[in-house]
Amino acid sequence: MLKAIIVDDEEFARSSLYFLLQENCPDIHISGIAKSVKEARTLLATHAVDLIFLDIAMPGENGFELIPDVQQSNATVIFTTAYDQYALKAIKANAIDYLLKPIDIDDLKDAVNKASKHHKLNQLDKQSRTESLKNLEHDLNNQQNINKITLPASQGYRVIELDDILHIEADSNYSVFNLVNKEKITVSKVLKDFEEILPENRFLRIHKSSIVNLTHVKEYYNKNGLTVALQNGETIAVSRRRAGDFYEKIKSYTIKNSDK
């Protein structure tokens, strides 16, 4: 049984999430409900809390201003948000768990299941969690390109610089991140999930099984089919269907960076 609190300034959001949890998540016990960060601090100081459903956009103090208090505990944060498309990308890239309003029951169950596993196995790496939350706050506040991505790993989470990603390859229902240091990280998400998250101006899907970081493209040539050569010497084929997109994107990327 996980002890949870709900933090949201909207009464309807608080009550609807409470009833969804009551009806669908029997392993969650709601220890308290707060309508502000100030009230949430009081709950954290007076209750043992395993899980926090935390709204981001609230008047006065936003959800991120509760993070220093959260860091003093072992609680897992599940963000609940109605943010726009850009912010949603940042949240997907850097938040450990999130729910988009209006909350879908299946999404809620999945998020709670993940939180339960993390709690039982104690796999949340505190330093990585803190870094991912700080980076998420920076991206949302500054409306800049995403610069890091948080990936689930066997013993917690890894926060990866986008510049360190060479390419990502599909492996059935998994995605394999190939890094500049030759490390490989396998994540249980399909390639399409990362195609939607990663900045379009830097990453391009060139094949049904490959996404490349344009930063690391050394050359490309058309000999028995279009091929991309990366700075580490690897070569990856570009599918015919995606060749036009590649030519257009690499030309735009090269011009943009030559102007800097």
Side-chain angles (χ1 to χ4, degrees):
M1 181 72 70
L2 294 183
K3 303 179 186 68
I5 64 172
I6 296 171
V7 186
D8 200 307
D9 65 301
E10 298 178 357
E11 182 178 358
F12 176 78
R14 295 193 301 269
S15 59
S16 61
L17 177 55
Y18 176 84
F19 286 114
L20 283 175
L21 289 167
Q22 292 285 90
E23 292 293 323
N24 299 281
C25 303
D27 292 335
I28 299 295
H29 170 72
I30 304 301
S31 299
I33 298 177
K35 61 177 181 290
S36 68
V37 169
K38 182 179 179 179
E39 290 185 6
R41 287 196 183 100
T42 301
L43 289 176
L44 286 176
T46 56
H47 293 72
V49 177
D50 303 312
L51 178 61
I52 304 171
F53 293 92
L54 181 60
D55 187 23
I56 297 175
M58 292 185 284
E61 296 178 284
N62 66 38
F64 293 115
E65 293 177 81
L66 185 65
I67 297 305
D69 301 272
V70 175
Q71 290 167 2
Q72 301 304 314
S73 69
N74 290 319
T76 299
V77 175
I78 296 179
F79 287 111
T80 58
T81 179
Y83 265 56
D84 62 19
Q85 187 60 36
Y86 167 81
L88 185 57
K89 275 194 173 187
I91 292 167
K92 284 183 177 181
N94 292 300
I96 291 171
D97 288 303
Y98 75 96
L99 292 167
L100 183 63
K101 297 177 182 178
I103 294 173
D104 178 81
I105 293 175
D106 290 333
D107 291 342
L108 176 62
K109 289 178 179 178
D110 288 342
V112 167
N113 284 336
K114 283 194 289 183
S116 179
K117 289 178 182 178
H118 298 158
H119 180 72
K120 290 176 182 177
L121 299 175
N122 196 26
Q123 288 184 339
L124 282 177
D125 179 76
K126 192 171 182 179
Q127 182 176 354
S128 293
R129 179 180 63 182
T130 300
E131 185 179 353
S132 70
L133 294 175
K134 286 182 177 178
N135 187 63
L136 172 56
E137 180 181 17
H138 175 271
D139 286 344
L140 292 177
N141 287 341
N142 293 280
Q143 294 289 291
Q144 297 176 352
N145 280 336
I146 298 164
N147 292 311
K148 297 181 181 181
I149 187 168
T150 301
L151 301 176
S154 59
Q155 296 300 315
Y157 288 86
R158 291 283 304 278
V159 181
I160 305 297
E161 295 275 355
L162 296 193
D163 285 343
D164 291 339
I165 301 171
L166 279 169
H167 66 99
I168 312 164
E169 57 185 323
D171 183 6
S172 186
N173 290 324
Y174 295 83
S175 295
V176 181
F177 281 70
N178 294 264
L179 307 184
V180 293
N181 64 359
K182 299 183 180 180
E183 184 180 2
K184 294 178 182 285
I185 301 175
T186 301
V187 181
S188 58
K189 288 185 178 182
V190 295
L191 209 60
K192 183 174 177 56
D193 290 336
F194 296 108
E195 183 182 10
E196 294 174 350
I197 293 171
L198 293 168
E200 297 175 1
N201 61 333
R202 297 172 63 187
F203 288 83
L204 180 65
R205 189 165 187 172
I206 62 172
H207 193 276
K208 66 179 181 179
S209 60
S210 300
I211 293 175
V212 297
N213 186 345
L214 297 176
T215 305
H216 296 296
V217 173
K218 183 178 181 181
E219 61 180 341
Y220 54 95
Y221 47 86
N222 200 335
K223 184 179 180 181
N224 299 322
L226 182 60
T227 301
V228 169
L230 301 177
Q231 290 176 350
N232 70 338
E234 287 187 75
T235 58
I236 303 174
V238 181
S239 69
R240 287 185 180 182
R241 187 167 68 88
R242 300 178 186 272
D245 288 342
F246 173 78
Y247 281 125
E248 182 178 341
K249 187 62 68 68
I250 195 68
K251 180 180 178 181
S252 173
Y253 181 82
T254 304
I255 293 173
K256 178 182 176 183
N257 284 275
S258 64
D259 289 339
K260 291 183 178 179

